[in-house]
Amino acid sequence: MRQLLIRRLLQTIPLLIFVSIVCFAMIKLAPGDPVLSFVTPNMHAEDIERIRHNLGLDKPAYIQYFLWIKEAVTGNLGYSLVNHQPVTEQILDRLPATAGLMGAALALAVLLAIPLGLLAGANRGRWIDKLVNLVAYVGISVPLFWLAILLIYYFSIHLHWLPSMGMRTIGVNSAFDVLKHGIMPCVVLAFSFLAVYVRYIRSSTIGQLREDYVQIQYAYGSTKRIVLMRHVLKHVLLPIITLLGMSMGELVAGAIVTETVFSWPGIGSLGMTAVRGMDYPVIMGITLFSSIMLILGNLAADLLYGVADPRINSKR
């Protein structure tokens, strides 16, 4: 396990370098000039060039990249062009909000998908299977932002049950208040992943119920519930672990949309603000940080594979 972990971490180094080069090139090719945010109507051309020089934007692109990556290795991602605050501090300040939202949404999706998928697979063709499939199709088809707006209208504007935006109520500092603010963002982010996970678990359950070991368990007198929970579930968990690793990218993208709609103070909303303000250091920092999160998520899924099925480690 230790050798596997070291080998996977070493493999992430060239991947991170490639991601940083691509992101830096895309930002440089994007329209707009960050210097324009500092320009006033009465400013002279010499002053504009001085600002460009102070920001290091007058150097060739490859020199700018090497200077940035040199500082990024030490944890220094530069300063925001908008609020002049360290990028690393801004990301770390907002990381708990994003990590909490993503973790809660992922846990909710998995905890609901496993029993629903097993139930639908064990009752293939019956009304419960059709109902679960209908919910799954809706979850796959409905855009996150539309579902978020729908929940805000119904639960916040119409029923006044839940707050519509933010993470805390002004003047209130309690865990229950944070929980109330996080219910709708968590449900919205989890819904689309729940639909995908349910479909995979249902398909895997149907396949496992055709295996010989299931028929042997029935011959020994085991009930369907015992077969599902003690035997089928172990085999169903493996594709779920794979899905967790593969869906990390969609989870980050979904978190950005969800945080923007609900004004959730996480990394996603910070990134959208940086894009609107052409705050390149913040955009680069968030992109690099998101890439690290994706790589660590896939690494965790790879390691969990070995925990769920120890035979896999012996083949590596």
Side-chain angles (χ1 to χ4, degrees):
M1 181 70 73
R2 181 179 300 177
Q3 294 179 352
L4 174 65
L5 179 60
I6 295 174
R7 187 168 66 249
R8 290 290 188 269
L9 290 176
L10 291 177
Q11 291 174 353
T12 62
I13 296 176
L15 180 59
L16 284 175
I17 294 175
F18 175 76
V19 170
S20 65
I21 292 175
V22 172
C23 294
F24 190 85
M26 292 179 62
I27 289 177
K28 285 299 178 183
L29 294 174
D33 188 353
V35 178
L36 297 179
S37 60
F38 298 90
V39 175
T40 60
N42 298 325
M43 187 173 291
H44 297 288
E46 295 81 5
D47 298 327
I48 297 176
E49 291 302 321
R50 188 179 301 111
I51 294 174
R52 191 181 304 275
H53 175 74
N54 292 335
L55 295 175
L57 299 177
D58 58 338
K59 297 180 177 65
Y62 69 93
I63 294 180
Q64 294 182 40
Y65 170 77
F66 282 115
L67 292 175
W68 177 81
I69 201 68
K70 177 183 176 181
E71 296 296 328
V73 171
T74 64
N76 180 17
L77 298 176
Y79 288 82
S80 169
L81 300 180
V82 176
N83 55 29
H84 311 292
Q85 298 295 319
V87 175
T88 305
E89 291 184 6
Q90 295 185 67
I91 293 177
L92 293 179
D93 287 342
R94 292 174 175 256
L95 179 61
T98 297
L101 178 61
M102 292 172 56
L106 204 58
L108 179 63
V110 172
L111 290 177
L112 291 178
I114 291 176
L116 289 177
L118 289 173
L119 188 62
N123 297 275
R124 183 184 182 186
R126 300 181 181 179
W127 68 270
I128 186 65
D129 181 32
K130 296 178 180 179
L131 179 61
V132 172
N133 276 325
L134 176 62
V135 174
Y137 288 136
V138 171
I140 295 173
S141 306
V142 172
L144 289 181
F145 71 90
W146 186 85
L147 178 61
I149 294 173
L150 186 65
L151 292 184
I152 289 174
Y153 173 77
Y154 190 73
F155 290 101
S156 296
I157 299 176
H158 184 67
L159 296 178
H160 304 286
W161 286 358
L162 298 171
S164 61
M165 61 178 60
M167 185 176 174
R168 297 180 184 274
T169 304
I170 298 177
V172 179
N173 187 16
S174 66
F176 180 72
D177 183 63
V178 176
L179 179 63
K180 286 177 56 180
H181 282 79
I183 289 177
M184 287 196 296
C186 180
V187 170
V188 169
L189 187 56
F191 190 58
S192 61
F193 296 98
L194 170 64
V196 175
Y197 296 163
V198 164
R199 294 290 299 167
Y200 272 89
I201 295 175
R202 174 187 178 274
S203 177
S204 181
T205 300
I206 293 174
Q208 291 298 320
L209 289 176
R210 297 171 179 170
E211 296 293 333
D212 293 337
Y213 75 89
V214 173
Q215 304 304 321
I216 293 175
Q217 292 299 322
Y218 284 144
Y220 285 151
S222 298
T223 63
K224 179 179 287 189
R225 180 177 179 274
I226 294 177
V227 170
L228 286 175
M229 300 307 298
R230 291 186 181 180
H231 304 282
V232 174
L233 180 60
K234 294 188 296 183
H235 296 85
V236 168
L237 287 179
L238 288 178
I240 289 299
I241 295 175
T242 304
L243 284 177
L244 290 177
M246 294 173 58
S247 62
M248 287 303 297
E250 298 178 6
L251 184 63
V252 173
I256 293 176
V257 176
T258 305
E259 289 180 3
T260 302
V261 175
F262 288 99
S263 298
W264 188 263
I267 295 178
S269 57
L270 176 65
M272 293 301 296
T273 303
V275 170
R276 288 192 292 266
M278 292 186 297
D279 197 346
Y280 292 169
V282 176
I283 297 174
M284 284 295 300
I286 292 177
T287 303
L288 183 62
F289 209 83
S290 299
S291 302
I292 294 174
M293 292 175 61
L294 295 179
I295 292 172
L296 292 179
N298 282 275
L299 176 61
D302 201 8
L303 296 178
L304 286 175
Y305 236 101
V307 175
D309 190 351
R311 296 173 299 177
I312 296 177
N313 285 331
S314 62
K315 299 178 182 180
R316 293 175 174 177

